[in-house]
Amino acid sequence: MAKMKLSESTFTLIPEGVTTFKVMEVDDTKYEDFGKIAVKLQTAKGETHTENFTLIKANGDLNEGALKAWSYFARTCLNNFRADEIDTQDIVGCFITATVKHETYTRTKGDKAGTEGTSVRLNDYTTASGFGSGAAKSVEADEEDIDDLDDFLND
């Protein structure tokens, strides 16, 4: 047996807490066929996270909860809560601040079935103007705007 040096592992979960992200890429290539949108986000430190939105259920019905989540996310990125339609690429380059939370789960498929995993969940989105200090500016909501994503999704 030969000893081999392994590459340095650079993967780490984004720490829990409030973090500002830049939208780097929106992959909508699976939108037409499957209703899926993947948004690649990056922190100031270069850490990446992908937010996935599945707007069509497996049975072909509209996933209203996911559509509300995507709509809120996109409007927050654009800082335009009155927008009723966008090109998915409009949010590339926008900044958004979110609360990062870790969730543990038990894997159900593959070689690691039965083992515990950790996923990153983002919530409490607010508009940001960049990575600098004070970048996480809260958007003042008027009567027609949405204060809280959880309340919005529960409607």
Side-chain angles (χ1 to χ4, degrees), residues 113-145:
T115 63
E116 193 173 271
T118 303
S119 63
V120 171
R121 178 177 292 268
L122 304 183
N123 56 27
D124 301 328
Y125 305 124
T126 56
T127 301
S129 59
F131 288 128
S133 62
K137 301 186 309 184
S138 292
V139 176
E140 293 295 321
D142 64 26
E143 296 172 4
E144 295 179 17
D145 291 341

Side-chain angles (χ1 to χ4, degrees), residues 68 150-155:
K68 287 181 179 183
D150 292 328
D151 290 342
F152 182 60
L153 292 174
N154 291 325
D155 285 344

Side-chain angles (χ1 to χ4, degrees), residues 8-25:
E8 182 178 327
S9 175
T10 59
F11 176 79
T12 59
L13 288 176
I14 296 171
E16 289 188 311
V18 177
T19 303
T20 299
F21 297 89
K22 181 177 182 180
V23 178
M24 303 303 290
E25 177 183 329

Side-chain angles (χ1 to χ4, degrees), residues 17-145:
V18 177
T19 303
T20 299
F21 297 89
K22 181 177 182 180
V23 178
M24 303 303 290
E25 177 183 329
V26 177
D27 180 358
D28 57 8
T29 58
K30 295 181 181 178
Y31 176 71
E32 290 296 322
D33 293 333
F34 305 105
K36 294 183 179 196
I37 298 172
V39 181
K40 184 177 178 183
L41 305 169
Q42 184 173 329
T43 68
K45 294 180 180 178
E47 301 159 314
T48 60
H49 172 76
T50 302
E51 279 288 272
N52 293 298
F53 300 91
T54 303
L55 306 177
I56 306 291
K57 296 178 182 178
N59 66 5
D61 291 345
L62 178 66
N63 184 343
E64 291 187 34
L67 179 59
K68 287 181 179 183
W70 160 251
S71 298
Y72 186 78
F73 179 85
R75 288 178 177 132
T76 302
C77 285
L78 295 171
N79 194 20
N80 180 356
F81 290 90
R82 298 187 194 287
D84 61 355
E85 182 178 87
I86 68 164
D87 180 314
T88 57
Q89 301 307 305
D90 289 348
I91 65 172
V92 173
C94 292
F95 290 86
I96 191 166
T97 298
T99 301
V100 177
K101 292 186 179 181
H102 294 171
E103 293 184 355
T104 57
Y105 63 94
T106 302
R107 293 179 175 96
T108 58
K109 299 178 184 177
D111 295 341
K112 295 184 179 182
T115 63
E116 193 173 271
T118 303
S119 63
V120 171
R121 178 177 292 268
L122 304 183
N123 56 27
D124 301 328
Y125 305 124
T126 56
T127 301
S129 59
F131 288 128
S133 62
K137 301 186 309 184
S138 292
V139 176
E140 293 295 321
D142 64 26
E143 296 172 4
E144 295 179 17
D145 291 341

